[in-house]
Amino acid sequence: MPSITFVQPDGTRRALEAGDEPTVMHVAIRADVAGLPAECGGQLACATCMVDVPEDWVARLPPAGPDERDMIEDTIGSVPAGRRLCCQIPVTPALDGLVLRVPATQG
Ligand code: FES
C-alpha cells in the first residue's frame, strides 16, 4: 500500500503506510497527525482536513469537486493552488510517495 508523508509547518515529517483506509484523512487520523482534526469525519462539512498538494502531484490526484472547492473557499476566502481536503482524496496504490503539507491553520 502507498506511503504518504505529512509535513508540518515546522518541517517535521511523518511517513505513513496506508492500510485499508478509504481516504488520506483516515490515514492521518489513525496516526494522529498533528494539525488535521478532521472534525466532521469526512462528511465534507468542516474543512479541518486541509492539506497542500505539491504542484507535481496535483494532476495525479482526482480533481477537487465543486463542493470541496466551495468548502475551502468559504473557509479561507480562496482556493490556493494545490489546496485540498484530504477526506476527499481516496487511498489508491498510485498515491505511493505523495508528500502533503499540513497548513499552519485550518481556517
Ligand atoms: S474531515 Fe470534514 S471536510 Fe474533511
Side-chain angles (χ1 to χ4, degrees):
M1 289 304 279
S3 174
I4 302 168
T5 298
F6 294 86
V7 182
Q8 294 295 321
D10 68 0
T12 304
R13 301 168 73 93
R14 284 187 71 190
L16 302 173
E17 298 296 323
D20 58 359
E21 294 88 354
T23 74
V24 171
M25 177 275 288
H26 289 88
V27 176
I29 293 302
R30 171 177 54 81
D32 200 21
V33 172
L36 290 172
E39 292 167 358
C40 79
Q43 300 302 306
L44 200 51
C46 72
T48 61
C49 63
M50 289 191 284
V51 293
D52 289 316
V53 177
E55 186 177 349
D56 59 333
W57 270 92
V58 168
R60 298 168 66 179
L61 301 180
D67 290 345
E68 179 181 352
R69 294 181 61 83
D70 285 352
M71 179 66 66
I72 294 169
E73 184 166 14
D74 289 350
T75 303
I76 60 173
S78 65
V79 184
R83 181 61 59 98
R84 296 293 306 267
L85 301 177
C86 67
C87 71
Q88 302 301 304
I89 304 174
V91 171
T92 69
L95 297 190
D96 190 45
L98 175 63
V99 178
L100 298 170
R101 292 195 169 274
V102 179
T105 63
Q106 288 286 337

